[in-house]
Amino acid sequence: MKPRECRARVDAVRRLTPDILEADLRMEEPPALEFDAGQWVSVPFGPKTVRAYSIASTPRLPKVLTLCADVAPGGIGSAWFRALEPGDPVRFKGPLGGFVFTQADPRRPLFVAEEIGIVPIRSILTALYTTGFGRPATLVYWARDSGWLAYDAEFRSLARRYPRFAYCPAVASAAGAVKDGAGSLAEVVERLVSDVAGLVAYVCGGEQTIHRVRDVLVAKGLDRKAVKWEKFW
């Protein structure tokens, strides 16, 4: 879909963790926004200052978009998101981005997320499993501690209901692995993935994580072009 200028109003704000917030935006113009799971919107904060927020909700609910953000960095976007209250007007441009999974793709998807990088993947998985996706899929989700696994309970429930969906959460060790999240997540992928035949990977998080995970998969024989990615920092 072609991106457009949009207006919405805040319906609700939820705190998923101390530093991760969700905001529901009810569309006003247009009254519903068509988008693909995995896309994002751009919120302006000045002539040359914008912040990108991935859509956490499913395209099946186009009248209310859910955005999710890590507000720990404390910058202009964090301050804006923290201050959102029901009734506030919001302007943004969207949808944007090509980090999307097509059900017609016959390959077996591996989703790899680092902390807040889970947001577009959550949208993709929600969309897949509400439309009858029955093929094997795996999610590897890493965080510094369990409190940063924003949608952990939701993914555990999904794994119980769909046996062909494998959910593999991982947290940093007490030895200080949080200082090298990219290496830690790459090690988890190295351990879990033994066969890359017919695989397509979607990796989302920091730039170092994307590079490390891609290197692991390519070393196992996966075509570099079969690793899709979305950089958050």
Side-chain angles (χ1 to χ4, degrees):
M1 278 63 70
K2 187 175 180 179
R4 58 180 295 180
E5 301 294 333
C6 302
R7 289 187 293 107
R9 199 164 293 274
V10 177
D11 247 10
V13 179
R14 293 177 294 278
R15 188 175 295 276
L16 302 184
T17 76
D19 289 309
I20 299 178
L21 303 181
E22 270 189 344
D24 292 339
L25 307 182
R26 184 165 296 277
M27 297 300 303
E28 293 186 341
E29 180 56 41
L33 182 68
E34 291 186 36
F35 66 94
D36 291 323
Q39 291 192 293
W40 49 276
V41 301
S42 176
V43 178
F45 292 99
K48 297 182 179 181
T49 305
V50 299
R51 293 293 183 270
Y53 295 99
S54 289
I55 303 170
S57 51
T58 169
R60 293 171 66 87
L61 301 173
K63 294 182 179 181
V64 179
L65 302 188
T66 300
L67 305 184
C68 183
D70 171 7
V71 296
I76 186 173
S78 297
W80 172 78
F81 215 103
R82 283 186 184 275
L84 287 177
E85 294 183 355
D88 285 352
V90 176
R91 291 181 178 272
F92 61 86
K93 183 177 182 179
L96 298 157
F99 187 74
V100 298
F101 176 76
T102 304
Q103 288 206 42
D105 189 336
R107 292 174 293 181
R108 173 171 47 95
L110 166 69
F111 299 99
V112 181
E114 179 182 23
E115 296 196 335
I116 196 62
I118 193 62
V119 178
I121 289 174
R122 189 254 189 169
S123 178
I124 293 171
L125 287 172
T126 302
L128 285 177
Y129 286 99
T130 55
T131 53
F133 186 75
R135 304 205 313 269
T138 299
L139 168 61
V140 181
Y141 183 14
W142 183 94
R144 68 194 75 179
D145 60 54
S146 58
W148 280 83
L149 295 173
Y151 295 105
D152 181 63
E154 185 175 309
F155 295 133
R156 291 182 186 275
S157 174
L158 200 64
R160 288 193 297 270
R161 289 182 286 124
Y162 297 93
R164 303 190 81 183
F165 170 64
Y167 173 45
C168 308
V171 296
S173 72
V178 65
K179 295 179 181 178
D180 184 19
S184 300
L185 184 46
E187 288 173 2
V188 175
V189 173
E190 170 75 44
R191 261 194 334 267
L192 290 174
V193 178
S194 57
D195 180 12
V196 298
L199 190 75
V200 61
Y202 287 76
V203 187
C204 193
E207 184 174 10
Q208 289 187 15
T209 290
I210 292 166
H211 290 166
R212 296 283 288 274
V213 170
R214 182 172 58 194
D215 289 347
V216 165
L217 294 172
V218 170
K220 288 177 177 286
L222 187 65
D223 186 335
R224 190 180 182 88
K225 293 182 179 179
V227 181
K228 318 297 181 181
W229 52 270
E230 184 90 307
K231 186 178 74 171
F232 268 56
W233 62 88

